Amino acid sequence: MKKYSFLILFAAAFACKNKPSADAKVAAFAISEAAIGKVDTSTITEYTISNPSGMKVSILNYGGTVTKIITKDKAGNDGDVVLGFDSLAGNLQKGNPYFGVLVGRYANRIAKGKFTLDGKTYQLATNNGPNALHGGLKGYDKVVWTVEKLAGDSCLQLTYKSKDGEEGYPGNVVATVVYTLSSANELKIDYKATTDKATPVNLTNHCYFNLSAGADSTILNHELTLVADKYTPVDTTLIPTGKIEPVKGTPMDFTAPKLIGKDLASVAGGYDHNWVLNKTGKGLELAATLYHVASGRYMEVFTTEPGIQFYSGNFLDGTLTNTKGGKKYVQHAALCLETQHFPDSPNEPSFPSVILKSGETYTHTSVYKFSVK
Ligand code: GLA
């Protein structure tokens, strides 16, 4: 058995060219697909990638939504560690809080939905109080992406062509996202975008994690680490004030593993902030770890991005319908770790730039790695 795991480990880490195994006892990578309904005239398909150790990730062409992540607990039992719906009607319901979706063209908030670029002011829809959130009324989470299975049965490539003027943003953008499941239980997401006119771009994924896989109704008992000594404080509408402040001695301090419930009550509204990652370069670096002691499930998040939004599911209130198993997703039922550029960057010159120009390519890689301990 040891020998097989060793072989598997080297067979396919992050490759899209996994060769079918010659040994029938070693399971292979596979991608299955099932039609689950229609949006307008498009068939909505759920693709499921499975790896040789039995981890499974399901993804829709609608919104590039991750609908399921099945991983083992320390006893070897499978469980689904993301919130989601039991049918497409769930995903399509008004008020779906971005379960599992790809967010774009600009993830997170832009103050008053307004920014100025090359001397021109652009006005976006304000869909979150006075601000623009997650790409607008019909962001990348609510469109049908073109899906291509890449060779090796471990990668899916999704493409969306966003038109000049869509949701008020300038430039024709081509966004490409590759979801890869590795033999080492890593879900890797590679994002790329190009444009023909300067535009802000900030893409992310919005999975809601609960590593108990349905056993715990909230994530208050999950232990979180954020590799960040600083964060961006916000105003009452969750727009950064422009300051970057140390977390030390505050409830925002997750530099050492801490139960999410420990200081949550002293953060008005709950955690919904951007942490400034302690990056040393531009490569993939550890950003966060999440541990659920009872199941033993452990998740590490790596990213090339400068920030991470930790959102503690504050707005979940048990009212979503068509949920998996009819579960009531109550406040703090799950959490999001959205790798990103800082919110409102188009209006905050001191933050790293999010402007993509014609001829440039936006790239972002994030990895969610699952194990037990
Ligand atoms: C992000 C935001 C939250 C909330 C969720 C979706 O995490 O920061 O305020 O809007 O998306 O409900």
Side-chain angles (χ1 to χ4, degrees), residues 16 30-34 45-49 146-158 178-179:
C16 278
I31 301 179
S32 62
E33 51 184 281
T45 303
E46 184 171 49
Y47 298 83
T48 299
I49 316 177
T146 304
V147 178
E148 205 187 320
K149 290 191 217 170
L150 301 183
D153 287 340
S154 64
C155 310
L156 284 180
Q157 177 172 288
L158 286 74
V178 178
Y179 281 109

mmCIF file of all heavy atoms in Angstrom, residues 16 30-34 45-49 146-158 178-179:
data_model
loop_
_atom_site.group_PDB
_atom_site.id
_atom_site.type_symbol
_atom_site.label_atom_id
_atom_site.label_comp_id
_atom_site.label_asym_id
_atom_site.label_seq_id
_atom_site.Cartn_x
_atom_site.Cartn_y
_atom_site.Cartn_z
ATOM 1 N N CYS A 16 -1.753 18.226 -15.896
ATOM 2 C CA CYS A 16 -2.979 17.969 -16.628
ATOM 3 C C CYS A 16 -2.739 16.795 -17.538
ATOM 4 O O CYS A 16 -3.445 16.573 -18.496
ATOM 5 C CB CYS A 16 -3.371 19.190 -17.450
ATOM 6 S SG CYS A 16 -4.235 20.375 -16.452
ATOM 7 N N ALA A 30 -10.591 10.767 -12.889
ATOM 8 C CA ALA A 30 -11.744 10.646 -13.778
ATOM 9 C C ALA A 30 -12.556 11.937 -13.703
ATOM 10 O O ALA A 30 -12.545 12.631 -12.691
ATOM 11 C CB ALA A 30 -12.616 9.473 -13.366
ATOM 12 N N ILE A 31 -13.244 12.228 -14.798
ATOM 13 C CA ILE A 31 -14.209 13.339 -14.784
ATOM 14 C C ILE A 31 -15.536 12.804 -15.297
ATOM 15 O O ILE A 31 -15.619 12.282 -16.412
ATOM 16 C CB ILE A 31 -13.759 14.526 -15.671
ATOM 17 C CG1 ILE A 31 -12.392 15.067 -15.208
ATOM 18 C CG2 ILE A 31 -14.812 15.632 -15.642
ATOM 19 C CD1 ILE A 31 -11.857 16.235 -16.035
ATOM 20 N N SER A 32 -16.569 12.887 -14.461
ATOM 21 C CA SER A 32 -17.899 12.481 -14.914
ATOM 22 C C SER A 32 -18.745 13.740 -15.088
ATOM 23 O O SER A 32 -18.384 14.807 -14.578
ATOM 24 C CB SER A 32 -18.550 11.548 -13.881
ATOM 25 O OG SER A 32 -18.707 12.243 -12.669
ATOM 26 N N GLU A 33 -19.839 13.617 -15.801
ATOM 27 C CA GLU A 33 -20.688 14.798 -15.955
ATOM 28 C C GLU A 33 -22.170 14.437 -15.968
ATOM 29 O O GLU A 33 -22.541 13.342 -16.381
ATOM 30 C CB GLU A 33 -20.324 15.595 -17.211
ATOM 31 C CG GLU A 33 -20.235 14.831 -18.500
ATOM 32 C CD GLU A 33 -19.761 15.739 -19.635
ATOM 33 O OE1 GLU A 33 -20.583 16.503 -20.163
ATOM 34 O OE2 GLU A 33 -18.575 15.673 -19.978
ATOM 35 N N ALA A 34 -22.982 15.361 -15.469
ATOM 36 C CA ALA A 34 -24.425 15.140 -15.427
ATOM 37 C C ALA A 34 -25.137 16.455 -15.700
ATOM 38 O O ALA A 34 -24.775 17.488 -15.112
ATOM 39 C CB ALA A 34 -24.824 14.627 -14.045
ATOM 40 N N THR A 45 -24.402 21.818 -16.625
ATOM 41 C CA THR A 45 -23.779 20.518 -16.377
ATOM 42 C C THR A 45 -22.952 20.573 -15.104
ATOM 43 O O THR A 45 -22.267 21.571 -14.856
ATOM 44 C CB THR A 45 -22.874 20.136 -17.575
ATOM 45 O OG1 THR A 45 -23.675 20.144 -18.750
ATOM 46 C CG2 THR A 45 -22.240 18.770 -17.408
ATOM 47 N N GLU A 46 -23.064 19.502 -14.328
ATOM 48 C CA GLU A 46 -22.192 19.368 -13.150
ATOM 49 C C GLU A 46 -21.103 18.367 -13.510
ATOM 50 O O GLU A 46 -21.392 17.230 -13.878
ATOM 51 C CB GLU A 46 -22.982 18.875 -11.944
ATOM 52 C CG GLU A 46 -22.134 18.809 -10.680
ATOM 53 C CD GLU A 46 -22.957 18.517 -9.419
ATOM 54 O OE1 GLU A 46 -23.764 17.550 -9.463
ATOM 55 O OE2 GLU A 46 -22.810 19.239 -8.426
ATOM 56 N N TYR A 47 -19.848 18.837 -13.432
ATOM 57 C CA TYR A 47 -18.681 17.991 -13.729
ATOM 58 C C TYR A 47 -18.086 17.563 -12.395
ATOM 59 O O TYR A 47 -17.951 18.382 -11.485
ATOM 60 C CB TYR A 47 -17.622 18.793 -14.488
ATOM 61 C CG TYR A 47 -18.087 19.304 -15.835
ATOM 62 C CD1 TYR A 47 -18.824 20.484 -15.941
ATOM 63 C CD2 TYR A 47 -17.802 18.603 -16.997
ATOM 64 C CE1 TYR A 47 -19.254 20.956 -17.171
ATOM 65 C CE2 TYR A 47 -18.229 19.063 -18.241
ATOM 66 C CZ TYR A 47 -18.957 20.237 -18.315
ATOM 67 O OH TYR A 47 -19.392 20.705 -19.544
ATOM 68 N N THR A 48 -17.724 16.298 -12.273
ATOM 69 C CA THR A 48 -17.087 15.848 -11.032
ATOM 70 C C THR A 48 -15.722 15.258 -11.345
ATOM 71 O O THR A 48 -15.619 14.290 -12.101
ATOM 72 C CB THR A 48 -17.978 14.831 -10.297
ATOM 73 O OG1 THR A 48 -19.207 15.487 -9.973
ATOM 74 C CG2 THR A 48 -17.316 14.330 -9.017
ATOM 75 N N ILE A 49 -14.700 15.887 -10.759
ATOM 76 C CA ILE A 49 -13.331 15.370 -10.928
ATOM 77 C C ILE A 49 -13.047 14.505 -9.706
ATOM 78 O O ILE A 49 -13.268 14.937 -8.569
ATOM 79 C CB ILE A 49 -12.269 16.498 -10.954
ATOM 80 C CG1 ILE A 49 -12.710 17.669 -11.827
ATOM 81 C CG2 ILE A 49 -10.906 15.964 -11.364
ATOM 82 C CD1 ILE A 49 -11.711 18.851 -11.837
ATOM 83 N N THR A 146 -17.927 28.542 -20.681
ATOM 84 C CA THR A 146 -17.642 27.445 -21.618
ATOM 85 C C THR A 146 -16.631 26.525 -20.944
ATOM 86 O O THR A 146 -15.604 26.995 -20.460
ATOM 87 C CB THR A 146 -17.029 28.015 -22.916
ATOM 88 O OG1 THR A 146 -17.945 28.972 -23.420
ATOM 89 C CG2 THR A 146 -16.803 26.929 -23.945
ATOM 90 N N VAL A 147 -16.942 25.235 -20.910
ATOM 91 C CA VAL A 147 -16.069 24.303 -20.179
ATOM 92 C C VAL A 147 -15.366 23.364 -21.145
ATOM 93 O O VAL A 147 -15.966 22.849 -22.081
ATOM 94 C CB VAL A 147 -16.888 23.472 -19.162
ATOM 95 C CG1 VAL A 147 -15.987 22.458 -18.444
ATOM 96 C CG2 VAL A 147 -17.541 24.391 -18.140
ATOM 97 N N GLU A 148 -14.095 23.169 -20.898
ATOM 98 C CA GLU A 148 -13.305 22.203 -21.684
ATOM 99 C C GLU A 148 -12.593 21.279 -20.708
ATOM 100 O O GLU A 148 -11.976 21.755 -19.746
ATOM 101 C CB GLU A 148 -12.268 22.999 -22.479
ATOM 102 C CG GLU A 148 -11.803 22.320 -23.724
ATOM 103 C CD GLU A 148 -10.651 23.111 -24.347
ATOM 104 O OE1 GLU A 148 -10.719 24.354 -24.351
ATOM 105 O OE2 GLU A 148 -9.697 22.469 -24.784
ATOM 106 N N LYS A 149 -12.718 19.965 -20.955
ATOM 107 C CA LYS A 149 -11.970 19.005 -20.131
ATOM 108 C C LYS A 149 -10.565 18.937 -20.693
ATOM 109 O O LYS A 149 -10.394 18.643 -21.874
ATOM 110 C CB LYS A 149 -12.586 17.614 -20.244
ATOM 111 C CG LYS A 149 -13.932 17.466 -19.591
ATOM 112 C CD LYS A 149 -14.280 15.982 -19.550
ATOM 113 C CE LYS A 149 -15.740 15.769 -19.791
ATOM 114 N NZ LYS A 149 -16.088 14.374 -19.999
ATOM 115 N N LEU A 150 -9.571 19.192 -19.882
ATOM 116 C CA LEU A 150 -8.196 19.112 -20.377
ATOM 117 C C LEU A 150 -7.701 17.673 -20.258
ATOM 118 O O LEU A 150 -8.232 16.884 -19.466
ATOM 119 C CB LEU A 150 -7.291 20.080 -19.609
ATOM 120 C CG LEU A 150 -7.700 21.564 -19.683
ATOM 121 C CD1 LEU A 150 -6.693 22.441 -18.956
ATOM 122 C CD2 LEU A 150 -7.827 22.038 -21.134
ATOM 123 N N ALA A 151 -6.669 17.341 -21.019
ATOM 124 C CA ALA A 151 -6.144 15.977 -21.032
ATOM 125 C C ALA A 151 -5.709 15.570 -19.623
ATOM 126 O O ALA A 151 -5.222 16.401 -18.848
ATOM 127 C CB ALA A 151 -4.953 15.905 -21.976
ATOM 128 N N GLY A 152 -5.898 14.321 -19.287
ATOM 129 C CA GLY A 152 -5.430 13.821 -17.999
ATOM 130 C C GLY A 152 -6.527 13.639 -16.970
ATOM 131 O O GLY A 152 -6.293 13.107 -15.882
ATOM 132 N N ASP A 153 -7.744 14.104 -17.298
ATOM 133 C CA ASP A 153 -8.901 13.901 -16.413
ATOM 134 C C ASP A 153 -8.746 14.488 -15.021
ATOM 135 O O ASP A 153 -9.351 14.002 -14.064
ATOM 136 C CB ASP A 153 -9.225 12.404 -16.295
ATOM 137 C CG ASP A 153 -9.865 11.866 -17.556
ATOM 138 O OD1 ASP A 153 -10.382 12.693 -18.335
ATOM 139 O OD2 ASP A 153 -9.833 10.648 -17.759
ATOM 140 N N SER A 154 -7.920 15.525 -14.872
ATOM 141 C CA SER A 154 -7.837 16.142 -13.550
ATOM 142 C C SER A 154 -8.085 17.646 -13.613
ATOM 143 O O SER A 154 -8.078 18.305 -12.583
ATOM 144 C CB SER A 154 -6.467 15.869 -12.924
ATOM 145 O OG SER A 154 -5.466 16.483 -13.690
ATOM 146 N N CYS A 155 -8.285 18.191 -14.811
ATOM 147 C CA CYS A 155 -8.436 19.648 -14.979
ATOM 148 C C CYS A 155 -9.647 20.001 -15.819
ATOM 149 O O CYS A 155 -9.918 19.357 -16.832
ATOM 150 C CB CYS A 155 -7.253 20.252 -15.722
ATOM 151 S SG CYS A 155 -5.662 19.816 -15.113
ATOM 152 N N LEU A 156 -10.315 21.059 -15.411
ATOM 153 C CA LEU A 156 -11.397 21.631 -16.216
ATOM 154 C C LEU A 156 -11.038 23.071 -16.495
ATOM 155 O O LEU A 156 -10.658 23.807 -15.571
ATOM 156 C CB LEU A 156 -12.706 21.641 -15.428
ATOM 157 C CG LEU A 156 -13.485 20.356 -15.251
ATOM 158 C CD1 LEU A 156 -14.742 20.672 -14.438
ATOM 159 C CD2 LEU A 156 -13.863 19.740 -16.595
ATOM 160 N N GLN A 157 -11.164 23.467 -17.756
ATOM 161 C CA GLN A 157 -10.896 24.860 -18.092
ATOM 162 C C GLN A 157 -12.198 25.577 -18.401
ATOM 163 O O GLN A 157 -12.982 25.115 -19.224
ATOM 164 C CB GLN A 157 -9.962 24.928 -19.288
ATOM 165 C CG GLN A 157 -9.696 26.356 -19.732
ATOM 166 C CD GLN A 157 -8.616 26.416 -20.792
ATOM 167 O OE1 GLN A 157 -7.443 26.211 -20.517
ATOM 168 N NE2 GLN A 157 -9.025 26.685 -22.013
ATOM 169 N N LEU A 158 -12.443 26.684 -17.728
ATOM 170 C CA LEU A 158 -13.674 27.456 -17.922
ATOM 171 C C LEU A 158 -13.321 28.803 -18.532
ATOM 172 O O LEU A 158 -12.357 29.439 -18.087
ATOM 173 C CB LEU A 158 -14.391 27.679 -16.587
ATOM 174 C CG LEU A 158 -15.114 26.484 -15.974
ATOM 175 C CD1 LEU A 158 -14.136 25.493 -15.380
ATOM 176 C CD2 LEU A 158 -16.084 26.943 -14.903
ATOM 177 N N VAL A 178 -8.801 27.612 -14.604
ATOM 178 C CA VAL A 178 -8.572 26.162 -14.663
ATOM 179 C C VAL A 178 -8.655 25.604 -13.249
ATOM 180 O O VAL A 178 -7.925 26.038 -12.353
ATOM 181 C CB VAL A 178 -7.208 25.823 -15.308
ATOM 182 C CG1 VAL A 178 -6.972 24.315 -15.302
ATOM 183 C CG2 VAL A 178 -7.144 26.355 -16.734
ATOM 184 N N TYR A 179 -9.591 24.684 -13.057
ATOM 185 C CA TYR A 179 -9.699 23.955 -11.789
ATOM 186 C C TYR A 179 -8.929 22.645 -11.960
ATOM 187 O O TYR A 179 -9.207 21.880 -12.899
ATOM 188 C CB TYR A 179 -11.155 23.582 -11.511
ATOM 189 C CG TYR A 179 -12.043 24.682 -10.971
ATOM 190 C CD1 TYR A 179 -13.045 25.255 -11.760
ATOM 191 C CD2 TYR A 179 -11.929 25.115 -9.647
ATOM 192 C CE1 TYR A 179 -13.898 26.235 -11.252
ATOM 193 C CE2 TYR A 179 -12.781 26.100 -9.134
ATOM 194 C CZ TYR A 179 -13.761 26.646 -9.929
ATOM 195 O OH TYR A 179 -14.602 27.612 -9.419
#
